């Protein structure tokens, strides 16, 4: 009963038709639903306007960046102040050099070196703990020789180790959210079989993507890595791999739809399949997160490094336990819309819709990959990915609504529009 009440509430908030038991509840729902949805959008906009600025500048003690285009040897010093030595600190260094090399050192107030990182050509990245023992003015000393490229160094204050336990909330959400969505899909009459078919779509897409991604990555590196600046190459690589992942996802949908044609009618089955595909990914990541937390809070040799990396992520991403579930939930919503669009095109032989589904798959996955490139020299917060996905999620919601309206009277293969109209209305009369 509790699960049923929960699913009805989720359906109501999402704009679904709640199955009211009496007319007074129906009237109350009709009056309150617009207000609830407007309130939900107000909360989302307010949260985005306040969380995102914090996500860009959260916990940063010092940040310096620079670029060099001259073939000279230079040394620059950047001071920063640390007052609270009870906290732990970390440093993130990113450099992309087309030629030459560089060295970044951190000196404590006494002039003792407490960190160094060498740069070579191409991409050089490192996150490491910073040994802070005394308050005062610290210095970043950057030395470059015959270097052409850009660099960025950021020092952040890390949260307490006890705060890392909040990541169990993230793992729980990654598992519970898809289970609730699956429960809603099954309860609406789709059946678990179609959720399982969606999981099969995801697995087929991953196999296809893995086979092609290796060849594409090798070809892209061979043809483009030396032909353009490395940062531009990373953007092109994200776009190409995102496009291929979109094609692979579409191939997975087409393969399963051809093998199980019953998935095409009614559209609730397609939505269940889309939910199943996203649910499998979220649950798998949630389970892997639990294993990672077990290692992090264990006593093994990798526990210290894992705790530092997790603490750094929490430092640069406020409310981190909600960020990863938000990214995957938005991605799953877009996946449902793309699956619905693709199957609709296959069902009615409108191949423009199949191409549109592939384009939506590709756009979402490219956006996620491109947002990771943004973190090289921009904010490292995972809320950047959420911000990039929000417009695509809005588009996905509109596409789902539009396709559900078009689905009823759309002709099947070999039917005219009039035949489809008669078939659908005869079905509704029966």
């Amino acid at each position: 009963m509790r699960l049923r009440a929960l699913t009805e509430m989720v359906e109501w908030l999402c704009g679904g038709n709640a199955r009211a038991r009496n007319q007074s509840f129906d009237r109350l729902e009709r009056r309150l639903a617009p207000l609830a949805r407007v309130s939900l959008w107000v909360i989302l906009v307010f949260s985005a306007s306040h969380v995102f600025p914090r996500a860009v500048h959260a916990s940063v003690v010092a940040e310096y960046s620079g670029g060099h285009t001259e073939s000279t040897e230079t040394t620059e010093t950047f001071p920063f102040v640390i007052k609270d030595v009870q906290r732990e600190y970390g440093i993130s260094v990113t450099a992309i050099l087309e030629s030459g090399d560089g060295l970044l050192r951190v000196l404590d107030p006494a002039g003792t070196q407490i960190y160094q990182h060498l740069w070579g050509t191409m991409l050089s990245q490192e996150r490491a703990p910073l040994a802070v023992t005394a308050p005062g003015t610290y210095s970043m000393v950057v030395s470059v020789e015959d270097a052409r490229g850009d660099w960025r160094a950021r020092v952040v204050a890390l949260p307490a180790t006890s705060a890392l336990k909040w990541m169990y909330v993230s793992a729980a959400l990654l598992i519970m959210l898809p289970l609730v969505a699956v429960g809603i899909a099954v309860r609406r009459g789709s059946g678990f079989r179609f959720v399982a078919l969606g999981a099969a779509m995801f697995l087929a897409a991953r196999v296809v993507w893995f086979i092609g991604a290796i060849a594409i990555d090798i070809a892209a590196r061979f043809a483009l890595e030396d032909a353009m600046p490395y940062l531009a190459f990373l953007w092109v690589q994200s776009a190409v791999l995102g496009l291929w992942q979109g094609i692979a996802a579409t191939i997975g949908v087409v393969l399963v739809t051809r093998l199980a044609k019953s998935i095409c009618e009614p559209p609730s089955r397609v939505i269940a399949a889309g939910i199943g595909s996203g649910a499998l990914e979220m649950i798998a990541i949630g389970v892997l997160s639990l294993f990672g937390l077990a290692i992090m809070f264990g006593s093994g040799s990798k526990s210290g490094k894992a705790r530092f990396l997790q603490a750094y992520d929490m430092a640069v991403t406020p409310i981190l336990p909600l960020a990863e579930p938000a990214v995957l939930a938005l991605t799953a919503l877009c996946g449902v819309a793309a699956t619905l669009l693709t199957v609709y095109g296959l069902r009615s032989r409108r191949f423009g819709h199949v191409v549109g589904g592939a384009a939506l798959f590709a756009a979402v996955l490219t956006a996620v990959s491109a947002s990771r490139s943004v973190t090289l020299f921009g904010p490292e917060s995972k809320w950047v990915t959420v911000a990039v996905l929000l417009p695509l999620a809005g588009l996905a919601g509109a596409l789902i609504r539009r396709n559900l309206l078009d689905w009823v009277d759309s002709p099947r293969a070999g039917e005219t529009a009039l035949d489809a109209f008669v078939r659908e209305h005869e079905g509704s009369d029966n």
Side-chain angles (χ1 to χ4, degrees), residues 83-382:
K83 297 179 180 179
D84 185 2
V85 296
Q86 302 301 318
R87 300 186 65 175
E88 295 183 345
Y89 296 84
I91 185 170
S92 170
V93 182
T94 302
I96 297 181
L97 299 183
E98 305 301 326
S99 62
D101 52 48
L103 169 66
L104 183 143
R105 298 180 298 142
V106 177
L107 308 179
D108 66 11
T112 303
Q113 178 177 296
I114 59 174
Y115 172 81
Q116 75 168 7
H117 179 62
L118 294 170
W119 306 338
T121 55
M122 302 302 177
L123 176 63
S124 177
Q125 279 186 295
E126 184 178 63
R127 288 180 177 179
L130 203 59
V132 173
T133 57
T137 301
Y138 289 71
S139 301
M140 287 186 197
V141 181
V142 179
S143 302
V144 293
E145 183 176 359
D146 297 332
R148 295 174 58 87
D150 301 283
W151 62 270
R152 194 275 309 278
R154 175 179 288 154
V155 177
V156 300
L158 304 179
T161 303
S162 59
L164 302 183
K165 294 181 179 179
W166 281 101
M167 294 310 299
Y168 282 108
V169 174
S170 178
L173 287 174
L174 287 172
I175 295 173
M176 293 303 299
L177 287 177
L179 289 179
V180 171
V182 168
I184 294 174
V186 173
R187 178 180 169 276
R188 291 176 69 91
S190 299
F192 186 77
R193 171 171 175 256
F194 298 101
V195 175
L197 288 175
M201 290 178 182
F202 173 79
L203 293 175
R206 286 295 174 178
V207 171
V208 173
W209 178 83
F210 182 76
I211 294 174
I214 297 176
I216 290 174
D217 186 59
I218 293 174
R221 289 185 180 276
F222 179 78
L224 301 175
E225 191 171 32
D226 295 330
M228 61 179 62
Y230 193 76
L231 185 58
F233 166 74
L234 292 178
W235 283 95
V236 173
Q237 184 185 46
S238 297
V240 171
L241 290 177
L243 177 62
W244 170 243
Q245 197 163 352
I247 294 173
T250 305
I251 291 174
V253 173
V254 171
L255 287 176
V256 174
T257 302
R258 290 302 185 191
L259 294 175
K261 296 184 178 180
S262 60
I263 200 175
C264 296
E265 293 285 352
S268 59
R269 294 179 178 179
V270 185
I271 293 177
I275 290 174
S277 178
L280 179 60
E281 181 178 18
M282 290 185 70
I283 292 173
I285 294 176
V287 172
L288 291 175
S289 297
L290 289 176
F291 280 111
L293 290 169
I295 294 174
M296 187 170 64
F297 290 109
S299 57
S301 58
K302 298 182 179 179
S303 299
K305 182 66 173 178
R307 281 194 295 271
F308 165 75
L309 293 176
Q310 189 65 75
Y312 189 95
D313 282 338
M314 291 191 75
V316 297
T317 304
I319 326 177
L320 178 62
L322 300 183
E324 189 69 21
V327 170
L328 291 174
L330 293 174
T331 303
L333 174 62
C334 296
V336 171
T339 302
L340 190 65
L341 196 61
T342 302
V343 177
Y344 175 79
L346 294 173
R347 170 184 176 272
S348 59
R349 292 193 175 182
R350 298 178 180 178
F351 296 106
H353 289 73
V354 178
V355 175
L360 183 57
F361 273 127
V364 172
L365 300 170
T366 300
V368 173
S369 298
S371 65
R372 293 169 184 161
S373 299
V374 170
T375 63
L376 291 176
F377 294 112
E380 297 175 278
S381 173
K382 293 184 182 295

Side-chain angles (χ1 to χ4, degrees), residues 12-60:
W12 178 71
L13 285 175
C14 295
N17 295 321
R19 297 180 181 178
R21 294 184 180 276
N22 52 65
Q23 293 182 352
S24 61
F25 184 81
D26 285 340
R27 288 194 298 270
L28 181 64
E29 181 192 15
R30 285 194 297 269
R31 292 175 182 177
L32 293 182
L35 178 62
R37 291 168 193 158
V38 170
S39 300
L40 182 61
W41 277 108
V42 170
I43 292 172
L44 289 174
V45 172
F46 178 83
S47 300
S49 64
H50 285 73
V51 170
F52 187 70
R54 286 188 58 211
V56 175
H57 302 290
S59 303
V60 176

